[in-house]
């Protein structure tokens, strides 16, 4: 069996975000969830009825409680137990987000206890030999920010930069890797164009303003963090989709190129001079264009997303042209039965390794996610199971899935099987 070696010091880990795992939050999303849970439960069949697993998820998806993040995984109280598991699985890094609404629950009032909490989180990781990757914004805002119009309001840029300054200063001796924004493209598209998640607006002009304000904070944060912490490495975790035309129609190729540019590269091109590294979140391929598709499509996840491992290679190769260190900051699959996750991991890492062999500077891989969690894009709720570790939401018991052991072998040996 031929095994491929990853570069020395390659970081292996998993990602989470505060709203999805911590529990006990009060922010703009928790308020929106309370107001919309009933309706989301009523719409479940329209949204998810086409999925092959519909009969398994129907009861949960039609229950309003599914749409309330509530206790989530209680990770806020159980992070040490969760990091013990990650350590036992050979992880050498971990990505998590700091929740702005905890740090600054009211305008200008910074909660020192919460700052201390995240300092303890960072130290708990370091004590277990894991490098912390700290995301500063994973879509949620304090309610007072929502009250002034959220990201539509330029004032939010100012407030966010003040929060970043506070964080950069508080953790200047503890944190090196900061990810300012998570997936500004997904947040803006679902929050302000399709309206399928908070704040639930459908207005392309507002979307444009939000996107520009997010661009301003990504660039501004780079300076703010470096001022306080010259050693810091500052990046972004963007959603990159692999787009392909449905068939060879000229129009389809043209529209595919336009969509690809605006989704994958427009934001990145605007901020590229204010980045130390690029984080790539990759999940699936999307076919674009008119007419019947002529390309063969593969298996799908519980969410109906096509599994297309080669896409990660194509995207990493393209990102290599930016000549910055790259990290795969998210890659994973909703797979409650854990039947596909093992192959998913091995195949995506096979293609990642190929990109590295061909000279692309990829320095780490973070699986999404360490734990099952509240799947909040488009408020899908608790039924999609993305975790290496299963969470029983009644007892909060953690159960390591078999695929997590496959991934652990890769992490511990820093190699993958090239002949599977
Ligand atoms: O759960 C999300 C995460 O919050 C952002 N990236 C995609 C994941 C899966 O949908």
């Amino acid at each position: 069996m031929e095994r491929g070696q990853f570069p020395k010091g390659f970081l292996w880990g998993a990602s989470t975000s505060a709203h999805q795992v911590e529990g006990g939050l009060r922010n703009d999303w928790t308020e929106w969830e309370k107001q919309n849970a009933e309706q989301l439960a009523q719409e479940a069949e329209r949204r998810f009825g086409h999925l092959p697993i519909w009969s398994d998820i129907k009861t949960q998806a039609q229950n309003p409680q599914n749409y309330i993040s509530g206790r989530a995984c209680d990770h806020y109280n159980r992070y040490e137990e969760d990091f013990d598991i990650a350590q036992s699985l050979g992880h050498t890094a971990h990505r998590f987000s700091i929740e702005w609404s905890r740090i600054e629950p009211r305008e200008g009032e910074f909660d020192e206890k919460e700052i201390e909490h995240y300092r303890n989180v960072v130290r708990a990781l370091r004590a277990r030999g894991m490098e912390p990757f700290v995301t500063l914004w994973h879509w949620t805002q304090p309610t007072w920010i929502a009250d002034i119009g959220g990201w539509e309001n330029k004032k939010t840029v100012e407030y966010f930069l003040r929060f970043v300054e506070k964080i950069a200063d508080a953790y200047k001796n503890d944190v090196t890797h900061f990810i300012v924004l998570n997936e500004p493209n997904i947040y803006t598209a679902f929050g302000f164009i399709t309206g399928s998640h908070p704040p639930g607006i459908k207005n392309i002009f507002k979307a444009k303003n939000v996107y520009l304000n997010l661009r301003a904070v990504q660039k501004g944060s780079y300076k703010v963090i470096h001022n306080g912490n010259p050693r810091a490495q500052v990046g972004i975790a963007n959603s990159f989709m692999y787009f392909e035309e449905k068939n060879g129609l000229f129009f389809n190729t043209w529209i595919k190129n336009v969509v690809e540019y605006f989704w994958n590269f427009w934001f990145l091109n605007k901020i590229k001079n204010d980045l130390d590294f690029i984080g790539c979140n990759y999940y699936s391929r999307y076919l674009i264009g008119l007419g019947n598709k002529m390309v063969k499509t593969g298996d799908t996840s519980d969410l109906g997303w096509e599994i297309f491992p080669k896409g990660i290679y194509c995207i990493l190769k393209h990102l290599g042209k930016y000549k910055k260190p790259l990290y795969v900051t998210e890659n994973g699959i909703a797979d409650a039965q854990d039947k596909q996750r093992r192959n998913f991991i091995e195949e995506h890492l096979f293609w990642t390794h190929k990109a590295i062999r061909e000279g692309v500077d990829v320095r780490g891989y973070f699986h999404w996610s360490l734990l099952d969690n509240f799947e909040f894009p488009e408020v899908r709720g608790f039924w999609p199971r993305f975790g290496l570790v299963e969470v029983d939401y009644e007892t909060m018991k953690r159960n390591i899935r078999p695929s997590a052991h496959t991934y652990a072998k890769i992490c511990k040996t820093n190699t993958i099987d090239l002949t599977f």
Side-chain angles (χ1 to χ4, degrees):
M1 185 203 297
E2 195 194 342
R3 289 196 76 84
Q5 183 81 39
F6 279 82
K8 195 162 176 279
F10 192 85
L11 294 175
W12 294 104
S15 290
T16 60
S17 90
H19 189 80
Q20 296 177 268
V21 295
E22 281 187 357
L25 290 169
R26 181 165 184 276
N27 57 33
D28 60 336
W29 285 65
T30 58
E31 300 314 287
W32 195 90
E33 286 157 20
K34 283 185 218 145
Q35 286 159 19
N36 290 277
E38 287 286 344
Q39 196 186 330
L40 289 165
Q42 281 164 24
E43 290 171 356
E45 185 154 9
R46 179 182 62 72
R47 295 173 68 204
F48 307 121
H50 65 284
L51 296 173
I53 59 153
W54 172 245
S55 56
D56 300 335
I57 63 166
K58 187 174 172 192
T59 312
Q60 194 178 3
Q62 292 186 329
N63 181 349
Q65 279 309 313
N66 178 59
Y67 304 98
I68 305 273
S69 51
R71 280 204 303 162
C73 309
D74 194 29
H75 178 71
Y76 184 82
N77 296 308
R78 295 169 196 253
Y79 67 88
E80 297 214 62
E81 175 194 341
D82 293 335
F83 295 163
D84 283 343
I85 295 174
Q87 184 189 26
S88 76
L89 294 171
H91 296 195
T92 53
H94 182 73
R95 176 181 168 218
F96 69 96
S97 72
I98 290 186
E99 175 64 28
W100 185 7
S101 65
R102 283 195 195 277
I103 303 286
E104 194 181 359
R106 281 163 298 280
E107 202 261 285
E109 283 179 32
F110 291 93
D111 187 331
E112 293 301 327
K113 277 209 316 293
E114 296 293 2
I115 292 177
E116 189 58 22
H117 169 81
Y118 288 111
R119 186 174 290 112
N120 291 337
V121 170
V122 166
R123 288 183 180 166
L125 286 170
R126 290 217 181 277
R128 288 165 180 77
M130 286 185 267
E131 174 68 18
F133 274 58
V134 176
T135 309
L136 296 173
W137 177 81
H138 202 118
W139 299 356
T140 50
Q141 285 60 235
T143 52
W144 59 269
I145 285 288
D147 293 342
I148 61 160
W151 289 102
E152 285 175 55
N153 189 339
K154 262 205 161 339
K155 205 72 186 129
T156 298
V157 173
E158 216 177 277
Y159 286 134
F160 185 79
L161 292 177
R162 185 177 66 181
F163 157 72
V164 172
E165 194 176 356
K166 182 83 184 171
I167 294 295
D169 182 56
Y171 306 125
K172 60 176 180 288
N173 298 322
D174 300 285
V175 178
T176 306
H177 293 93
F178 289 97
I179 291 172
V180 179
L181 299 180
N182 179 71
E183 298 177 344
N185 46 1
I186 297 252
Y187 174 78
T188 309
F190 292 158
F192 294 86
I193 298 177
T194 64
S196 44
H197 74 202
I201 290 168
K202 297 181 188 169
N203 181 323
I204 191 123
F205 300 104
K206 291 187 176 184
K208 189 193 99 206
N209 291 341
V210 167
Y211 216 35
L212 294 180
N213 285 339
L214 289 170
R215 185 184 77 178
V217 294
Q218 176 71 46
K219 285 172 81 75
S221 300
Y222 179 83
K223 295 189 182 64
V224 168
I225 297 170
H226 277 287
N227 283 346
N229 179 354
R231 287 182 310 118
Q233 295 291 296
V234 181
I236 184 170
N238 215 13
S239 159
F240 293 98
M241 295 181 186
Y242 181 64
F243 293 103
E244 222 169 305
E245 50 271 43
K246 278 189 179 167
N247 57 45
L249 273 182
F250 173 76
F251 173 78
N252 288 353
T253 309
W254 179 81
I255 191 82
K256 188 264 311 179
N257 287 339
V258 171
V259 172
E260 181 176 55
Y261 174 74
F262 279 104
W263 188 266
N264 284 346
F265 303 117
W266 183 87
F267 199 93
L268 190 58
N269 287 346
K270 299 287 178 197
I271 58 164
K272 64 180 185 213
N273 295 331
D274 300 303
L275 280 182
D276 297 312
F277 66 88
I278 300 171
C280 165
N281 294 1
Y282 172 75
Y283 288 88
S284 189
R285 165 170 76 167
Y286 291 82
L287 298 176
I288 300 273
L290 302 172
N292 292 332
K293 57 175 185 251
M294 288 170 71
V295 294
K296 196 172 168 297
T297 49
D299 292 340
T300 55
S301 74
D302 290 352
L303 276 164
W305 301 354
E306 186 194 357
I307 301 170
F308 191 71
K310 190 181 172 188
I312 201 168
Y313 164 79
C314 299
I315 287 171
L316 290 172
K317 286 286 281 191
H318 192 111
L319 292 178
K321 296 185 184 145
Y322 287 83
K323 303 278 178 235
K324 308 256 179 195
L326 306 177
Y327 294 90
V328 177
T329 36
E330 286 183 28
N331 174 235
I333 179 169
D335 175 19
Q337 301 298 321
D338 202 37
K339 286 199 178 124
Q340 307 186 92
R341 189 173 286 102
R342 179 184 161 169
N343 281 349
F344 182 99
I345 292 173
E346 289 183 328
E347 291 182 20
H348 282 80
L349 286 172
F350 170 85
W351 285 106
T352 302
H353 187 260
K354 182 168 162 59
I356 295 172
R357 270 198 326 263
E358 293 174 10
V360 181
D361 183 11
V362 187
R363 299 194 181 175
Y365 173 91
F366 294 80
H367 191 75
W368 184 272
S369 178
L370 178 63
L371 304 167
D372 285 339
N373 59 57
F374 181 72
E375 168 65 3
F376 75 158
E378 301 193 290
V379 202
R380 300 177 186 123
F382 284 107
W383 65 262
R385 300 277 185 159
F386 275 94
L388 292 167
V389 178
E390 182 186 354
V391 176
D392 178 328
Y393 292 113
E394 292 298 315
T395 61
M396 291 296 162
K397 196 171 165 322
R398 275 59 168 153
N399 181 25
I400 300 175
R401 292 200 162 100
S403 58
H405 293 294
T406 302
Y407 181 48
K409 181 171 173 201
I410 297 170
C411 302
K412 288 176 186 175
T413 60
N414 204 32
T415 64
I416 44 153
D417 180 3
L418 294 177
T419 56
F420 62 91

